[in-house]
Amino acid sequence: MKPSPFIEIERATVYRGDTCVFHDLSLAIDEGTHAAILGPNGAGKSTFLKLLAGEAHPVPHDETHIRLFGEEQWNVWDVRKRLGLVSHDLQHQYMEQVTGLKVVLSGYYASIGTYAHQDFTYAQISRAHAVMEELGIGFLIDRRFADMSTGEQRRCLLGRALVHDPVALVLDEPTSGLDLTATFHYLDLVRGFMKKGKTVLLVTHHIHEIPPEVERVLLLKEGRVLRDGDKAQVLTDANLSLLFGCSVALAQANGWYQAFPGHSA
């Protein structure tokens, strides 16, 4: 049975203010395919994430379609249960006084923090505790968000995304700002989710964040898909030099890639 796309974008033109970020953008990513969207700053990665979150919308047109899990007119609550999204915007917006447990619990309402009118069942609270233990952050249950390290905050927000046990995760530059130990730990968690059958999409400009399990890479530049295909075919010196506008030399080790300055002309 052919896998179905969990993200489908057909001929989308998207503006942010007066700026056209995407012109006639089309792409589809199947459930079960681990993929990475790689691009420099200004490529359109943030706008792509806002499309998925329902915070940005394409110009209406008969040929324009955006579908999540096959649904064009999706129920935002249903989608949030199936798609876990961790973005930099969310980390920067999060309320400083909220404790770790409440960060994770807020995933049930897709809110930033928890509120008095929100009710949580015993099963939901137990699930939040279990997710935090799985992520190695059980000790952060009562710690304020403002008092956590960047890596601890990131794992709490990952717990917020995972509390519904979604089938797919979309991660925005997941290791940005983390030290080496925290980076390796976070990437180990991501690889673990892949091995458990969750679909993972990374949106990043950091080549070192792309785990060996990622099969497909899309290169995004100036709102257009520059290259799209098998990771080994797409991640080349020539393609990345074109993507970033400078000479790039790639190195590989244990299925990971890293970029270095290439030869000057």
Side-chain angles (χ1 to χ4, degrees), residues 1-260:
M1 184 176 176
K2 184 180 178 181
S4 57
F6 82 94
I7 295 172
E8 282 182 283
I9 299 175
E10 295 179 12
R11 307 197 67 174
T13 295
V14 183
Y15 282 81
R16 299 285 299 277
D18 295 329
T19 302
C20 182
V21 179
F22 294 128
H23 177 71
D24 218 22
L25 176 72
S26 294
L27 63 87
I29 299 172
D30 289 340
E31 252 183 83
T33 297
H34 304 310
I37 295 178
L38 181 69
N41 292 335
K45 300 188 302 297
S46 294
T47 301
F48 173 79
L49 292 166
K50 288 184 180 298
L51 278 176
L52 300 189
E55 297 170 5
H57 304 278
V59 176
H61 193 280
D62 289 345
E63 297 181 344
T64 298
H65 304 280
I66 297 181
R67 302 182 185 92
L68 291 181
F69 300 103
E71 300 290 333
E72 192 160 357
Q73 301 294 326
W74 63 81
N75 180 307
V76 68
W77 295 105
D78 289 342
V79 166
R80 282 169 176 164
K81 292 176 184 178
R82 301 176 70 185
L83 179 67
L85 177 62
V86 183
S87 70
H88 271 286
D89 282 354
L90 180 61
Q91 186 164 2
H92 293 147
Q93 293 167 1
Y94 221 85
M95 296 186 294
E96 294 184 344
Q97 74 275 16
V98 180
T99 61
L101 178 61
K102 290 184 177 180
V103 171
V104 177
L105 285 171
S106 69
Y108 285 113
Y109 288 91
S111 57
I112 298 179
T114 59
Y115 298 88
H117 68 274
Q118 296 173 342
D119 295 320
F120 300 98
T121 66
Y122 175 79
Q124 287 174 325
I125 294 170
S126 295
R127 167 68 182 163
H129 278 274
V131 168
M132 294 186 76
E133 290 298 330
E134 181 184 2
L135 297 178
I137 51 173
F139 65 98
L140 296 176
I141 285 173
D142 296 317
R143 187 173 300 178
R144 294 190 328 138
F145 197 74
D147 297 331
M148 299 178 193
S149 69
T150 301
E152 290 168 346
Q153 290 178 348
R154 200 74 51 82
R155 281 187 281 163
C156 279
L157 293 175
L158 181 58
R160 178 183 183 272
L162 287 168
V163 76
H164 280 300
D165 195 22
V167 298
L169 283 171
V170 178
L171 305 177
D172 175 23
E173 295 181 0
T175 70
S176 180
L178 304 189
D179 65 22
L180 203 59
T181 301
T183 293
F184 289 171
H185 187 201
Y186 199 98
L187 291 173
D188 277 344
L189 290 172
V190 172
R191 297 182 75 188
F193 299 135
M194 291 176 172
K195 292 169 183 174
K196 290 177 181 177
K198 292 193 186 299
T199 301
V200 173
L201 172 63
L202 299 176
V203 181
T204 186
H205 64 254
H206 298 297
I207 295 164
H208 72 267
E209 288 185 337
I210 301 175
E213 290 79 9
V214 165
E215 306 118 317
R216 178 181 170 195
V217 175
L218 299 87
L219 303 185
L220 191 66
K221 183 173 184 177
E222 296 175 351
R224 298 177 184 271
V225 177
L226 184 67
R227 298 284 188 274
D228 178 5
D230 179 76
K231 178 174 62 178
Q233 302 300 317
V234 171
L235 291 186
T236 66
D237 295 0
N239 283 342
L240 292 184
S241 296
L242 183 61
L243 178 67
F244 289 104
C246 63
S247 183
V248 175
L250 278 178
Q252 297 183 49
N254 303 321
W256 299 87
Y257 288 75
Q258 183 57 281
F260 297 92

